[in-house]
Amino acid sequence: MRLAISTGGGDAPGLNAVIRAAVLSAVHRGWECLGIKRGFGSLLGEGELMPLGPNEVRGITHLGGTILGTSSRGNPLKWRMQRPDGSWEERDRTQELLDAFRDNRLDALIAIGGDGTLGIALQLWKKGLPVVGVPKTIDNDVGATVATFGFDTAVSTATDAIDKLHSTAESHERVIVVEVMGRNAGFIALNSGLAGSADVILIPEIPFDIDKVCDKIRRREAEGRHFSIVVVAEGAVAKGGTVSLVDPAHERLGGIADKIAHSIEQMTGKETRSLVLGHLQRGGGPTTFDRLLALRFGAAAVRLVAEQRFGMMVALQPPRIVSVPIAEALATPRRVPVDSDSVATARDLGVSFGD
Ligand code: F6P
């Protein structure tokens, strides 16, 4: 058995732990492992496959990033290529990838990624490639699994940042608006905002009204609390509005914190600052929770390969790691249920969702 492993899309803390667990579990069975570099790059003419054995995965469980490299722009089904005149075209390179897979005598692929990479994995499986998926993303928005690894670390980093913002906001009697990642899911904002005692949390699942946000800040002011912390998910939207994009061509979200800060300053007269936590949330080593989840996912993925259960994805359905069809996981992306107890807890604690 020659097992290929790839990491695609944005990196997330815990990728290396999955790779280590998968490689050791495979070697334990007498299999050979090869890493595909930069997403699917090594199968599309971008460098060689990377032999993976115990030496290559030694001491990487606690390291952030991925030893294989990754890419968010490497979709073989829609490969973007620049024409000589500078314009772009999209090309389907699936057949090239399938040929390279066969030419390298690979028998199975473990694809570690979020909805984008898992979507590619599903299409490749439909074209005959034996693939097993492992859900990864700090956004926690993959369906059929209670958690993806990377999320807990990102929430921890964001909470830490919010904790630190409290003292400076209070000292200067300012409003600070902090933008966190999550794409169209509000899990990072909700969990870090709640844990970090934010006064306002804005998430994509609950469209906000800026008047309500300002009301909350004014109420605090009247109660003698001259500072406020607003945590906003990058995908949050005002009622009747649209998401804020920094790069519409690639649908890159961002910029909402700045817009909200400007409105708050205009409407309340309070000095307001904004910051974007950005890729800090994807960096650093995984928390213990994420390490364990990643190790369990990696080993479970190899068990699925051993049982030839292709087209499936490992998932956390506590207390067990189970397997679900990749198609099922992608059918319903996870979003914050607005009737969840976390939302109810935040409301009970006086947090405003701007609704
Ligand atoms: O999906 C993970 C994520 O970090 C999102 O939260 C964010 O919107 C996006 O990736 C950023 O992507 P990039 O690394 O391309 O800037």
Side-chain angles (χ1 to χ4, degrees), residues 20-58:
R20 178 164 176 270
V23 168
L24 295 182
S25 305
V27 169
H28 184 71
R29 286 168 168 79
W31 303 353
E32 199 180 336
C33 281
L34 292 129
I36 303 172
K37 300 204 75 176
R38 274 176 248 103
F40 293 102
S42 311
L43 292 182
L44 294 169
E46 288 188 1
E48 301 292 307
L49 291 169
M50 175 179 175
L52 291 172
N55 279 338
E56 285 72 29
V57 299
R58 181 163 295 142

Side-chain angles (χ1 to χ4, degrees), residues 208-259:
F208 68 88
D209 176 344
I210 193 69
D211 287 323
K212 298 276 172 57
V213 173
C214 291
D215 284 349
K216 169 72 183 174
I217 291 163
R218 287 192 203 101
R219 263 201 315 277
R220 282 178 56 78
E221 195 68 21
E223 289 162 0
R225 304 238 184 273
H226 301 296
F227 74 99
S228 292
I229 303 285
V230 178
V231 175
V232 57
E234 61 182 1
V237 278
K239 278 182 188 157
T242 51
V243 286
S244 175
L245 297 167
V246 275
D247 177 3
H250 295 100
E251 283 184 55
R252 271 183 60 217
L253 301 174
I256 183 90
D258 202 33
K259 293 175 186 162

Side-chain angles (χ1 to χ4, degrees), residues 184-186 190 200-210 212-213 231-233 235-240 335-340 342-344 346-347 351-355:
N184 303 110
L190 176 61
V200 178
I201 301 175
L202 304 177
I203 58 175
E205 294 84 351
I206 305 178
F208 68 88
D209 176 344
I210 193 69
K212 298 276 172 57
V213 173
V231 175
V232 57
V237 278
K239 278 182 188 157
R335 295 289 180 263
V336 172
V338 293
D339 58 354
S340 67
S342 292
V343 171
R347 289 194 193 280
V351 173
S352 166
F353 285 93
D355 62 339

Side-chain angles (χ1 to χ4, degrees), residues 79-91 250:
W79 195 271
R80 275 167 66 82
M81 298 182 105
Q82 199 157 23
R83 297 193 188 96
D85 67 0
S87 62
W88 292 87
E89 69 172 300
E90 276 181 359
R91 206 176 278 174
H250 295 100

Side-chain angles (χ1 to χ4, degrees), residues 10 72-73 137-139 181-183 234 252-253 279 282:
S72 351
R73 306 264 165 90
T137 166
I138 63 163
D139 306 336
M181 283 184 165
R183 290 200 65 82
E234 61 182 1
R252 271 183 60 217
L253 301 174
H279 294 81
R282 296 222 306 246

Side-chain angles (χ1 to χ4, degrees), residues 71-122:
S71 165
S72 351
R73 306 264 165 90
N75 184 349
L77 290 105
K78 290 180 180 175
W79 195 271
R80 275 167 66 82
M81 298 182 105
Q82 199 157 23
R83 297 193 188 96
D85 67 0
S87 62
W88 292 87
E89 69 172 300
E90 276 181 359
R91 206 176 278 174
D92 183 355
R93 298 183 69 189
T94 318
Q95 194 52 50
E96 207 181 315
L97 190 147
L98 295 172
D99 291 345
F101 193 83
R102 194 198 51 231
D103 294 347
N104 282 287
R105 295 176 293 106
L106 296 168
D107 299 301
L109 167 69
I110 292 180
I112 313 167
D115 52 358
T117 303
L118 292 169
I120 296 166
L122 179 62

